[in-house]
Amino acid sequence: MNKRFHVTTFGCQMNEHDSERMKGMLESIGYAEVAEQADADLILFNTCSIREKADSRFVAHLGHASAEKKRRPEVLIGGGGCWAQSVKEEVFSQFPFVDVAFGPGQVHKLAEFLTSESLSAQGYFEFEGFAGDLPAKRAREVQAWVQISVGCNMNCSYCIVPSTRGREVSRPFEALVAECERLAADGVREITLLGQNVNAYGRDLRVGGRPVAFSELLRAVDAIEGIERVRYTSPHPKDMREDVIRAHAELPSLCEHIHLPLQAGSSRILKAMRRTYTRDRFLDRVALIREHVPDCAITTDIIVGFPGETEADFVETLEVCEEVGFDGAFTFLFSPRRGTTAAELTEGLVPHEEKVERMQRLVEVVQRRGHERAQRFVGRALEVLVEGPSRTDPTRLRGRSRHGKTVNFTGLAAPGELVEVEILSATSQTLRGEESLVARALA
Ligand code: 5AD
Ligand code: SF4
């Protein structure tokens, strides 16, 4: 009988995609995926370490795995991803029941481990660039992630990622276009390009003696027959140049949505975060986006309570949120991460209660502005890519608009279809509507 595996994934889309690659690789060496850990011969965790909460959630999961190992000593337990990388060999002393640990760059080493003679505890933590030839097991039929670079060359003082994913390396242009063509031939209609800093893509490449621009990659992917939607995440505001913004106006498949992480609205705090842009420069990028693509959805990430953030600094964050009117925002309490320079700061630390109080004020502004922004969709017919039944009401359908909004609607559509939906109401989070049956009849 086939060996069976179970993977639990934490963290970002990059990690979810790494898990797809792990699963594809495991299936290629004869393993089959199962839904329950109790049925698996190999229990894997693909971990995240972006904030303290991510760590603690995962450690609780490891407790279950340890119990499973006591019950069935032959089971193999593996930890991959950013947390594993950030604690490296300590994994084995802290968690002696772990058999294999590997960083995000070492997914391919898992096969080597599993097919080797000796299955004694092993750790794999080198940075080797992209192991591109792993077959991915896609979570969704018509949507795919494509990793365009590994690592990050930025030095944001709060962020653990440069130390867990290494220096930035762009994958070759031709290899990426070929991968997207293969996906299109396999029925994929929406591609999300992934990188820690996607719009720095290609600076380290030389094609015909010159670097490649991210916007050129966007053009090449847009030109592929069958690819109807292109997204990317995450860009860095400092690299958000006019060519990329214009591409949103010019390329039919490039969606009207940009996730542009602000992090803080005060230039002083941005400097302490080493974000390399100011409040004005960020607002100027937003103005340029709105000039070329007036209807573009803009979403963001914001950190509250960075060391040294005063009430006045925080008010600047609120002001930027009021002024921009983000379509949505992920908001985080600052969390000191091992090995980062921000974790060493000792002055102006913001007490937890104050962070929480600021967060509440921030969420109020973000939700109110998001709600107001979403009203522009009411009464419009939006193109929706159907993902499945609605999470709250299985008689309805759920999909996503080009703006990245979740749309719950009534209709006849099947998952994977692109349909037109009349929007009837909108909250800051979701749109509600009904499928346009006239459009269906005419299609
Ligand atoms: N504390 C809080 N939030 C963080 N992020 C990254 N590092 C930290 C940290 N140490 C947030 C940033 C980033 C998002 C993915 O997570 O906002 O954009
Ligand atoms: Fe993704 Fe960052 Fe978490 Fe790593 S630490 S999985 S890059 S969110």
Side-chain angles (χ1 to χ4, degrees):
M1 200 168 97
N2 271 355
K3 293 238 174 198
R4 293 154 306 176
F5 73 91
H6 182 275
V7 182
T8 311
T9 308
F10 303 86
C12 62
Q13 298 184 34
M14 188 72 91
N15 243 28
E16 285 187 44
H17 181 49
D18 285 346
S19 289
E20 290 187 339
R21 288 160 28 94
M22 260 181 228
K23 292 177 185 181
M25 185 195 63
L26 289 168
E27 293 193 351
S28 76
I29 59 167
Y31 277 76
E33 187 173 10
V34 287
E36 303 293 335
Q37 284 182 351
D39 299 327
D41 308 294
L42 170 66
I43 298 177
L44 286 176
F45 298 94
N46 194 9
T47 63
C48 170
S49 207
I50 194 84
R51 287 170 294 276
E52 224 167 309
K53 247 196 200 148
D55 280 6
S56 46
R57 263 186 70 202
F58 162 62
V59 169
H61 276 257
L62 265 185
H64 294 292
S66 151
E68 196 60 33
K69 182 98 177 173
K70 280 210 188 87
R71 200 168 67 81
R72 297 187 294 138
E74 70 286 1
V75 82
L76 288 177
I77 311 259
C82 291
W83 173 83
Q85 182 75 35
S86 74
V87 294
K88 295 201 188 163
E89 308 286 349
E90 280 168 48
V91 178
F92 301 112
S93 50
Q94 275 187 39
F95 304 99
F97 52 89
V98 169
D99 300 288
V100 56
F102 50 99
Q106 296 278 292
V107 169
H108 56 293
K109 284 285 167 66
L110 185 58
E112 202 174 286
F113 170 77
L114 292 169
T115 50
S116 71
E117 295 289 306
S118 124
L119 292 179
S120 61
Q122 285 284 354
Y124 302 98
F125 303 107
E126 299 299 306
F127 295 123
E128 296 175 25
F130 185 76
D133 45 5
L134 300 181
K137 183 186 180 191
R138 277 203 310 281
R140 294 214 173 105
E141 198 78 355
V142 301
Q143 290 163 292
W145 285 301
V146 172
Q147 186 174 344
I148 67 169
S149 57
V150 295
C152 182
N153 280 359
M154 297 306 293
N155 199 13
C156 302
S157 61
Y158 52 80
C159 188
I160 199 167
V161 176
S163 75
T164 62
R165 291 192 180 259
R167 301 287 296 169
E168 191 172 274
V169 183
S170 299
R171 289 179 60 200
F173 188 84
E174 300 74 21
L176 289 174
V177 175
E179 184 168 328
C180 294
E181 283 169 348
R182 273 198 306 277
L183 289 167
D186 197 34
V188 166
R189 306 177 86 177
E190 178 177 289
I191 283 184
T192 302
L193 305 174
L194 292 179
Q196 302 304 333
N197 180 4
V198 281
N199 47 1
Y201 172 80
R203 283 189 202 148
D204 53 338
L205 295 177
R206 290 292 174 274
V207 175
R210 64 170 187 90
V212 183
F214 177 57
S215 59
E216 291 177 78
L217 181 64
L218 291 174
R219 266 175 217 288
V221 178
D222 173 72
I224 296 171
E225 187 82 31
I227 300 300
E228 314 218 27
R229 288 181 169 191
V230 179
R231 303 181 182 281
Y232 57 82
T233 197
S234 285
H236 195 294
K238 88 172 161 62
D239 293 318
M240 206 60 198
R241 308 249 162 84
E242 191 163 338
D243 59 333
V244 175
I245 295 172
R246 290 182 86 104
H248 282 268
E250 292 163 6
L251 305 179
S253 69
L254 189 57
C255 289
E256 294 78 18
H257 176 199
I258 298 178
H259 183 72
L260 199 63
L262 166 68
Q263 312 300 4
S266 143
S267 297
R268 202 178 68 80
I269 294 298
L270 287 169
K271 190 160 185 203
M273 289 177 163
R274 300 212 205 94
R275 288 292 287 171
T276 70
Y277 55 86
T278 59
R279 165 189 171 135
D280 285 349
R281 170 77 183 165
F282 185 91
L283 290 173
D284 169 66
R285 296 298 89 189
V286 171
L288 197 63
I289 294 169
R290 298 242 157 102
E291 180 190 327
H292 289 286
V293 195
D295 190 37
C296 196
I298 303 179
T299 55
T300 201
D301 291 343
I302 297 169
I303 297 176
V304 174
F306 186 82
E309 182 188 79
T310 62
E311 170 65 18
D313 291 316
F314 173 67
V315 167
E316 288 200 60
T317 298
L318 293 181
E319 284 167 3
V320 173
C321 291
E322 288 283 6
E323 188 172 335
V324 172
F326 291 109
D327 291 76
F330 297 109
T331 51
F332 309 103
L333 298 180
F334 169 72
S335 163
R337 304 287 54 213
R338 51 189 163 271
T340 61
T341 50
E344 314 280 294
L345 298 173
T346 49
E347 279 178 31
L349 298 186
V350 183
H352 182 73
E353 312 74 67
E354 206 156 324
K355 279 190 204 163
V356 171
E357 189 263 345
R358 286 181 191 170
M359 175 64 93
Q360 285 165 349
R361 289 155 66 198
L362 177 63
V363 167
E364 188 278 318
V365 175
V366 162
Q367 286 187 347
R368 174 167 45 75
R369 296 293 281 124
H371 188 275
E372 286 164 13
R373 288 278 297 162
Q375 303 314 306
R376 75 187 189 283
F377 298 123
V378 177
R380 279 167 62 178
L382 296 184
E383 179 202 276
V384 172
L385 180 60
V386 185
E387 292 181 351
S390 149
R391 293 216 168 93
T392 49
D393 175 357
T395 66
R396 296 167 69 85
L397 294 162
R398 172 180 49 88
R400 213 165 268 276
S401 75
R402 290 176 58 93
H403 301 88
K405 281 273 174 199
T406 297
V407 184
N408 289 314
F409 64 103
T410 50
L412 303 171
E417 269 192 278
L418 275 173
V419 294
E420 201 176 283
V421 175
E422 310 276 352
I423 304 302
L424 303 173
S425 65
T427 67
S428 61
Q429 300 289 334
T430 53
L431 307 178
R432 280 173 75 89
E434 57 191 26
E435 186 185 343
S436 162
L437 296 178
V438 178
R440 172 169 288 276
L442 293 175

